[in-house]
Every structure is written in structure tokens, then in C-alpha cells.
Amino acid sequence: MSRLREYKPSPLATLPKTLDPNEYYNLSPEYRRAEEERTALRSQMKRQYQMQLNNPYRKELIEDPALTRWLHARNIVYPHFRPSTKSSLMGVAFGVLPLVVLYFVLKTDRDKRDSKIDAGTYKRPFKLSS
Amino acid sequence: MAAFRAGLLTPALTKGKSASISTIIRGARAASGSSKDGLPGPYPKTPEERAAAAKKYNMRPEDYQPYPDDGWGSGDYPMLPDRSQHERDPYYRWDHPDLRRNWGEPMHYHFDMYIRNRVDTSPTPLDWRTMRLWLFGFLGITMFMFGMGEVLPCYQPVAAKQYPYNNLYLERGGDPEKEPEPVKNYEI
């Protein structure tokens, strides 16, 4: 089908493995050796997990260090935080700017309404009592 | 592990007198599971640090790529490809089948976004550009046609409704004594 030939991946839609040219043309030994090394690491971790899982004397939960590291990285951000240009700009854009903009917008809107009420020209919207 | 902890506490408790708080606390701290070395650290600058970090995260040193050091606070956490868990093989025997993840595998920084209930990055039947074109093309043409329908309406010619009995004089609250003016709705 011509649509599959023209398929272009995008950030939220990846290329299917069957359309990946690397699978068919990249037969270099380095690529294959890398895959083998990854498989070796994966098998070691699988073995560790199975040993702990099937241990009849185990009474506690199996602790996952990768999970601990992920939680630590997500929550404890301050020690490695550095006020660089990007982080300061983000802090200003998301922390300071909304408050300032909101203040000015609401203030001008309210001042306009107040002046109209003082002048007597304010038309109340959704007025239920006629 | 519990026996180890008890073994450490016994010298503190059998010291003769009642054990002080410091000895009990010191004894209790020695029995720990994982160490602090396994936690994420600062951004790796030298190749040795990178290799050590790759080993810590159970990755190949060639695969290990930390987030760029722009002060954001990620430290040496690896930058894995932005692939959702939807894409992983459903028929492989994962250790955690609902998360499609093995024990000890490095987790993506945004792992909770890429679980199977949330963001899906798997391949689509058509590519994004075609889908975008079809969707917005259809919506655009529909909106254009509706707009043209408002500007240039097209319907059967119709006149104002004509009512009998002098345009419903009595029904509309007319005076029954007074004679209404005759309303002629035809032309001959």
C-alpha cells in the first residue's frame, strides 16, 4: 500500500519495527553485538528477580532499586538545581508572570466596572429580577 | 535481615545497665537494605563518571545518555527514548505485565505519563500529516459551507402567514362591539 511506503514518524507516532530499514539493511556485527549485550543485561536482571521471587525463605517485599532511583530523581530535584538562564526564565514565566498578568487584568476589569457603576451606566448581565 | 538487626541490638541491650538511646539508634541504623550509592547523583562530567553511572543504572555505557546539564535538576538520570509502554510487546513475559516492564529496568523520567492508561506513542495507521490534513480539511470545508449558508441562504419562497377572521381580530383581544376594519389578504 502506497500509504505505508510514505509513512513518516512523528513525536507521538513512532515508526513500526517492520518498516524500520535498520532491521533489514543494518547487518553490521557492532549492531548485533550491542543487541546481545543488552540481552545479557536484561537476562541478568531477570535472573536476580526470579531468584528473589522464588526464594522460599523470603518474607519481605522485593525492592526495586530502579523504582527507588526514579522516585528519588523525580522528587529530590533541589540538590542538582542550578539557576541557569533556562530555569530562571521558566521560573519567571510560570511563577511570576501569571500572577502579575492576572492582577493587572482583574484590576482593570474591576476598575472599569466600578467607574461604570459610579456613572450609572452599568447594565447587569443575567439580571433575574426585572 | 531481622536476625541481623536483632544480633546488632543484643550487645547494646546486654551491656549491663539499661541501653542508652544512642547505642540503640546506632545499632538499628547498621542494618540497611540498599546504600546511598544507588541513588541518582550529579551530572557526570568525566568518562569514568559516565561509565559508573551507566553501571549504576544497569545500562550499557554506549546507551547511557544523561539529560543535558541546564540546571533543571535531573542530575545524572538517563535520557531514555520517548516511547510509551503501549509500544512494548504484549506477548513477552514481563515481570510486571500491566506496566510492561521488567524488574530493575531503568524507568523513563516521565514513566507515569507513558503508562498504558495515558500517552500513546505507538505507530498510527496513517502518518500524522495525512491525518491532520484529512481532519482539518474536513472541518475547514464544513465550516466554510456553513458560513456560506448563513451568508447566501437558499430556501423556497414563502410569504407572511395570513390569518382568517380579519387577522384573528377577536382572538387577539379585539373589542367585540366595535366593527374591525376588513383585512384583504388577496389580490385579484
Side-chain angles (χ1 to χ4, degrees), chain A residues 86-124:
Chain A
K86 181 179 168 195
S87 49
S88 335
L89 275 173
M90 286 293 215
V92 165
F94 283 100
V96 176
L97 208 66
L99 296 171
V100 169
V101 164
L102 217 60
Y103 167 77
F104 278 111
V105 164
L106 290 172
K107 190 87 170 54
T108 38
D109 185 51
R110 289 214 161 203
D111 285 343
K112 266 199 242 170
R113 202 173 340 144
D114 276 344
S115 59
K116 265 211 228 163
I117 290 173
D118 287 338
T121 56
Y122 184 62
K123 187 176 88 70
R124 262 176 63 190

Short mmCIF file of all heavy atoms in Angstrom, two decimals, chain A residues 86-124:
data_model
loop_
_atom_site.label_atom_id
_atom_site.label_comp_id
_atom_site.label_asym_id
_atom_site.label_seq_id
_atom_site.Cartn_x
_atom_site.Cartn_y
_atom_site.Cartn_z
N LYS A 86 17.83 29.10 31.47
CA LYS A 86 16.59 28.40 31.14
C LYS A 86 15.71 28.25 32.37
O LYS A 86 14.50 28.55 32.32
CB LYS A 86 16.93 27.03 30.57
CG LYS A 86 15.72 26.24 30.18
CD LYS A 86 16.11 24.89 29.60
CE LYS A 86 14.86 24.03 29.50
NZ LYS A 86 15.14 22.63 29.31
N SER A 87 16.31 27.82 33.48
CA SER A 87 15.48 27.58 34.66
C SER A 87 14.94 28.89 35.22
O SER A 87 13.79 28.96 35.66
CB SER A 87 16.24 26.81 35.72
OG SER A 87 17.48 27.39 35.97
N SER A 88 15.72 29.96 35.16
CA SER A 88 15.21 31.24 35.69
C SER A 88 14.10 31.77 34.82
O SER A 88 13.08 32.26 35.31
CB SER A 88 16.32 32.29 35.75
OG SER A 88 17.55 31.69 35.86
N LEU A 89 14.27 31.62 33.49
CA LEU A 89 13.21 32.09 32.59
C LEU A 89 11.93 31.32 32.81
O LEU A 89 10.84 31.91 32.86
CB LEU A 89 13.67 31.92 31.13
CG LEU A 89 14.52 33.04 30.57
CD1 LEU A 89 15.03 32.68 29.20
CD2 LEU A 89 13.72 34.32 30.48
N MET A 90 12.08 30.01 32.98
CA MET A 90 10.89 29.19 33.24
C MET A 90 10.23 29.60 34.55
O MET A 90 9.00 29.70 34.65
CB MET A 90 11.28 27.71 33.33
CG MET A 90 11.60 27.13 32.00
SD MET A 90 10.15 27.06 30.96
CE MET A 90 10.48 25.57 30.10
N GLY A 91 11.07 29.85 35.58
CA GLY A 91 10.50 30.25 36.86
C GLY A 91 9.73 31.55 36.76
O GLY A 91 8.62 31.68 37.29
N VAL A 92 10.29 32.50 36.02
CA VAL A 92 9.60 33.77 35.85
C VAL A 92 8.32 33.57 35.03
O VAL A 92 7.24 34.04 35.38
CB VAL A 92 10.53 34.79 35.17
CG1 VAL A 92 9.75 35.97 34.65
CG2 VAL A 92 11.59 35.24 36.12
N ALA A 93 8.43 32.82 33.93
CA ALA A 93 7.30 32.67 33.02
C ALA A 93 6.13 31.94 33.67
O ALA A 93 4.98 32.25 33.41
CB ALA A 93 7.75 31.94 31.76
N PHE A 94 6.42 30.96 34.51
CA PHE A 94 5.33 30.16 35.07
C PHE A 94 5.00 30.53 36.50
O PHE A 94 3.94 30.17 36.99
CB PHE A 94 5.70 28.67 35.04
CG PHE A 94 5.57 28.08 33.68
CD1 PHE A 94 6.67 27.90 32.88
CD2 PHE A 94 4.33 27.71 33.20
CE1 PHE A 94 6.54 27.36 31.62
CE2 PHE A 94 4.20 27.16 31.96
CZ PHE A 94 5.30 26.98 31.17
N GLY A 95 5.91 31.23 37.19
CA GLY A 95 5.65 31.54 38.59
C GLY A 95 5.26 32.97 38.84
O GLY A 95 4.34 33.26 39.59
N VAL A 96 5.97 33.88 38.18
CA VAL A 96 5.77 35.31 38.47
C VAL A 96 4.80 35.93 37.48
O VAL A 96 3.89 36.68 37.85
CB VAL A 96 7.14 36.02 38.42
CG1 VAL A 96 6.97 37.50 38.62
CG2 VAL A 96 8.05 35.45 39.49
N LEU A 97 4.99 35.61 36.19
CA LEU A 97 4.21 36.28 35.14
C LEU A 97 2.70 36.05 35.27
O LEU A 97 1.93 37.00 35.13
CB LEU A 97 4.69 35.80 33.77
CG LEU A 97 4.50 36.79 32.63
CD1 LEU A 97 5.35 38.00 32.87
CD2 LEU A 97 4.86 36.16 31.31
N PRO A 98 2.24 34.81 35.55
CA PRO A 98 0.77 34.65 35.65
C PRO A 98 0.17 35.52 36.74
O PRO A 98 -0.91 36.09 36.55
CB PRO A 98 0.59 33.16 35.98
CG PRO A 98 1.82 32.52 35.54
CD PRO A 98 2.91 33.51 35.71
N LEU A 99 0.86 35.59 37.88
CA LEU A 99 0.30 36.40 38.97
C LEU A 99 0.19 37.87 38.57
O LEU A 99 -0.84 38.53 38.77
CB LEU A 99 1.18 36.27 40.21
CG LEU A 99 1.25 34.88 40.82
CD1 LEU A 99 2.31 34.82 41.88
CD2 LEU A 99 -0.08 34.48 41.40
N VAL A 100 1.29 38.37 37.97
CA VAL A 100 1.31 39.78 37.60
C VAL A 100 0.23 40.07 36.56
O VAL A 100 -0.55 41.03 36.67
CB VAL A 100 2.72 40.14 37.09
CG1 VAL A 100 2.73 41.49 36.45
CG2 VAL A 100 3.70 40.09 38.23
N VAL A 101 0.18 39.21 35.51
CA VAL A 101 -0.79 39.43 34.43
C VAL A 101 -2.21 39.36 34.98
O VAL A 101 -3.06 40.21 34.67
CB VAL A 101 -0.56 38.37 33.33
CG1 VAL A 101 -1.74 38.29 32.41
CG2 VAL A 101 0.69 38.70 32.56
N LEU A 102 -2.43 38.36 35.84
CA LEU A 102 -3.78 38.20 36.40
C LEU A 102 -4.17 39.41 37.22
O LEU A 102 -5.30 39.90 37.14
CB LEU A 102 -3.79 36.94 37.28
CG LEU A 102 -5.06 36.11 37.23
CD1 LEU A 102 -5.33 35.63 35.84
CD2 LEU A 102 -4.93 34.94 38.18
N TYR A 103 -3.20 39.91 38.01
CA TYR A 103 -3.51 41.08 38.83
C TYR A 103 -3.94 42.25 37.94
O TYR A 103 -4.97 42.89 38.18
CB TYR A 103 -2.28 41.46 39.67
CG TYR A 103 -2.40 42.82 40.31
CD1 TYR A 103 -3.19 43.00 41.44
CD2 TYR A 103 -1.74 43.93 39.78
CE1 TYR A 103 -3.32 44.24 42.02
CE2 TYR A 103 -1.87 45.18 40.36
CZ TYR A 103 -2.66 45.33 41.49
OH TYR A 103 -2.79 46.57 42.05
N PHE A 104 -3.15 42.51 36.89
CA PHE A 104 -3.46 43.68 36.08
C PHE A 104 -4.77 43.51 35.32
O PHE A 104 -5.57 44.46 35.22
CB PHE A 104 -2.30 43.99 35.13
CG PHE A 104 -1.22 44.76 35.80
CD1 PHE A 104 0.01 44.18 36.06
CD2 PHE A 104 -1.43 46.07 36.20
CE1 PHE A 104 1.00 44.90 36.70
CE2 PHE A 104 -0.45 46.78 36.83
CZ PHE A 104 0.77 46.20 37.09
N VAL A 105 -5.00 42.32 34.81
CA VAL A 105 -6.23 42.10 34.05
C VAL A 105 -7.45 42.30 34.94
O VAL A 105 -8.40 43.04 34.61
CB VAL A 105 -6.21 40.68 33.44
CG1 VAL A 105 -7.58 40.25 33.01
CG2 VAL A 105 -5.26 40.64 32.28
N LEU A 106 -7.41 41.64 36.12
CA LEU A 106 -8.58 41.73 37.00
C LEU A 106 -8.78 43.16 37.50
O LEU A 106 -9.91 43.64 37.61
CB LEU A 106 -8.41 40.77 38.17
CG LEU A 106 -8.50 39.29 37.80
CD1 LEU A 106 -8.13 38.43 38.99
CD2 LEU A 106 -9.87 38.93 37.32
N LYS A 107 -7.65 43.82 37.81
CA LYS A 107 -7.77 45.18 38.34
C LYS A 107 -8.42 46.11 37.33
O LYS A 107 -9.32 46.89 37.66
CB LYS A 107 -6.37 45.67 38.76
CG LYS A 107 -6.34 46.95 39.54
CD LYS A 107 -6.50 46.65 41.04
CE LYS A 107 -6.24 47.86 41.90
NZ LYS A 107 -7.03 49.02 41.57
N THR A 108 -7.94 46.05 36.07
CA THR A 108 -8.50 46.97 35.07
C THR A 108 -9.97 46.64 34.82
O THR A 108 -10.81 47.56 34.70
CB THR A 108 -7.75 46.88 33.74
OG1 THR A 108 -7.40 45.51 33.52
CG2 THR A 108 -6.52 47.72 33.74
N ASP A 109 -10.29 45.35 34.79
CA ASP A 109 -11.69 44.99 34.56
C ASP A 109 -12.59 45.52 35.67
O ASP A 109 -13.64 46.11 35.44
CB ASP A 109 -11.79 43.45 34.47
CG ASP A 109 -13.19 43.02 34.12
OD1 ASP A 109 -13.73 43.55 33.13
OD2 ASP A 109 -13.75 42.18 34.84
N ARG A 110 -12.12 45.34 36.91
CA ARG A 110 -12.93 45.80 38.04
C ARG A 110 -13.03 47.32 38.07
O ARG A 110 -14.08 47.87 38.39
CB ARG A 110 -12.29 45.33 39.33
CG ARG A 110 -12.44 43.88 39.51
CD ARG A 110 -12.60 43.51 40.93
NE ARG A 110 -13.17 42.20 41.02
CZ ARG A 110 -13.83 41.75 42.06
NH1 ARG A 110 -13.99 42.53 43.09
NH2 ARG A 110 -14.31 40.56 42.06
N ASP A 111 -11.90 48.00 37.75
CA ASP A 111 -11.94 49.46 37.77
C ASP A 111 -12.93 49.99 36.74
O ASP A 111 -13.68 50.94 37.00
CB ASP A 111 -10.54 50.02 37.49
CG ASP A 111 -9.64 49.86 38.69
OD1 ASP A 111 -10.19 49.63 39.78
OD2 ASP A 111 -8.41 49.97 38.54
N LYS A 112 -12.95 49.33 35.56
CA LYS A 112 -13.89 49.78 34.52
C LYS A 112 -15.31 49.60 35.00
O LYS A 112 -16.17 50.48 34.83
CB LYS A 112 -13.66 48.94 33.25
CG LYS A 112 -12.72 49.60 32.28
CD LYS A 112 -12.88 49.01 30.90
CE LYS A 112 -11.57 48.37 30.52
NZ LYS A 112 -11.56 47.57 29.36
N ARG A 113 -15.57 48.44 35.61
CA ARG A 113 -16.93 48.18 36.08
C ARG A 113 -17.32 49.16 37.18
O ARG A 113 -18.43 49.68 37.22
CB ARG A 113 -17.03 46.74 36.60
CG ARG A 113 -18.46 46.29 36.59
CD ARG A 113 -18.69 44.85 36.92
NE ARG A 113 -17.58 44.00 36.79
CZ ARG A 113 -17.33 42.97 37.62
NH1 ARG A 113 -18.14 42.73 38.60
NH2 ARG A 113 -16.29 42.21 37.44
N ASP A 114 -16.36 49.44 38.09
CA ASP A 114 -16.66 50.38 39.18
C ASP A 114 -16.98 51.77 38.65
O ASP A 114 -17.91 52.44 39.11
CB ASP A 114 -15.45 50.46 40.12
CG ASP A 114 -15.48 49.35 41.14
OD1 ASP A 114 -16.56 48.74 41.29
OD2 ASP A 114 -14.45 49.10 41.79
N SER A 115 -16.19 52.21 37.64
CA SER A 115 -16.44 53.56 37.10
C SER A 115 -17.80 53.59 36.42
O SER A 115 -18.53 54.57 36.52
CB SER A 115 -15.33 53.96 36.13
OG SER A 115 -15.28 53.04 35.08
N LYS A 116 -18.17 52.49 35.74
CA LYS A 116 -19.49 52.46 35.09
C LYS A 116 -20.60 52.50 36.12
O LYS A 116 -21.62 53.18 35.95
CB LYS A 116 -19.62 51.18 34.25
CG LYS A 116 -19.25 51.37 32.82
CD LYS A 116 -20.06 50.42 31.96
CE LYS A 116 -19.13 49.72 31.00
NZ LYS A 116 -19.68 48.54 30.40
N ILE A 117 -20.40 51.79 37.23
CA ILE A 117 -21.44 51.79 38.28
C ILE A 117 -21.57 53.18 38.88
O ILE A 117 -22.67 53.68 39.12
CB ILE A 117 -21.08 50.76 39.37
CG1 ILE A 117 -21.23 49.34 38.83
CG2 ILE A 117 -22.00 50.94 40.57
CD1 ILE A 117 -20.74 48.28 39.77
N ASP A 118 -20.41 53.83 39.11
CA ASP A 118 -20.47 55.19 39.67
C ASP A 118 -21.19 56.13 38.73
O ASP A 118 -21.97 56.98 39.15
CB ASP A 118 -19.03 55.71 39.91
CG ASP A 118 -18.41 55.00 41.11
OD1 ASP A 118 -19.17 54.49 41.92
OD2 ASP A 118 -17.16 55.00 41.19
N ALA A 119 -20.91 55.97 37.42
CA ALA A 119 -21.57 56.86 36.45
C ALA A 119 -23.02 56.48 36.26
O ALA A 119 -23.81 57.29 35.78
CB ALA A 119 -20.83 56.79 35.12
N GLY A 120 -23.38 55.24 36.65
CA GLY A 120 -24.79 54.84 36.50
C GLY A 120 -25.10 54.20 35.18
O GLY A 120 -26.27 54.01 34.85
N THR A 121 -24.07 53.81 34.41
CA THR A 121 -24.33 53.24 33.09
C THR A 121 -24.15 51.72 33.07
O THR A 121 -24.13 51.11 32.02
CB THR A 121 -23.37 53.83 32.05
OG1 THR A 121 -22.03 53.60 32.51
CG2 THR A 121 -23.62 55.30 31.86
N TYR A 122 -24.04 51.08 34.23
CA TYR A 122 -23.72 49.65 34.24
C TYR A 122 -24.98 48.84 33.98
O TYR A 122 -26.00 49.02 34.63
CB TYR A 122 -23.10 49.26 35.59
CG TYR A 122 -22.68 47.83 35.63
CD1 TYR A 122 -21.70 47.33 34.77
CD2 TYR A 122 -23.26 46.95 36.54
CE1 TYR A 122 -21.32 46.02 34.82
CE2 TYR A 122 -22.87 45.64 36.59
CZ TYR A 122 -21.91 45.18 35.73
OH TYR A 122 -21.53 43.87 35.77
N LYS A 123 -24.91 47.93 33.02
CA LYS A 123 -26.03 47.05 32.72
C LYS A 123 -25.71 45.68 33.29
O LYS A 123 -24.77 45.01 32.84
CB LYS A 123 -26.24 46.96 31.21
CG LYS A 123 -27.49 46.18 30.83
CD LYS A 123 -27.72 46.21 29.33
CE LYS A 123 -26.99 45.10 28.60
NZ LYS A 123 -27.55 43.78 28.86
N ARG A 124 -26.49 45.25 34.28
CA ARG A 124 -26.18 43.97 34.92
C ARG A 124 -26.54 42.82 33.99
O ARG A 124 -27.68 42.72 33.55
CB ARG A 124 -27.00 43.83 36.21
CG ARG A 124 -26.21 44.22 37.44
CD ARG A 124 -27.05 44.18 38.67
NE ARG A 124 -27.53 42.84 38.94
CZ ARG A 124 -28.44 42.56 39.87
NH1 ARG A 124 -28.97 43.54 40.57
NH2 ARG A 124 -28.85 41.35 40.07
#
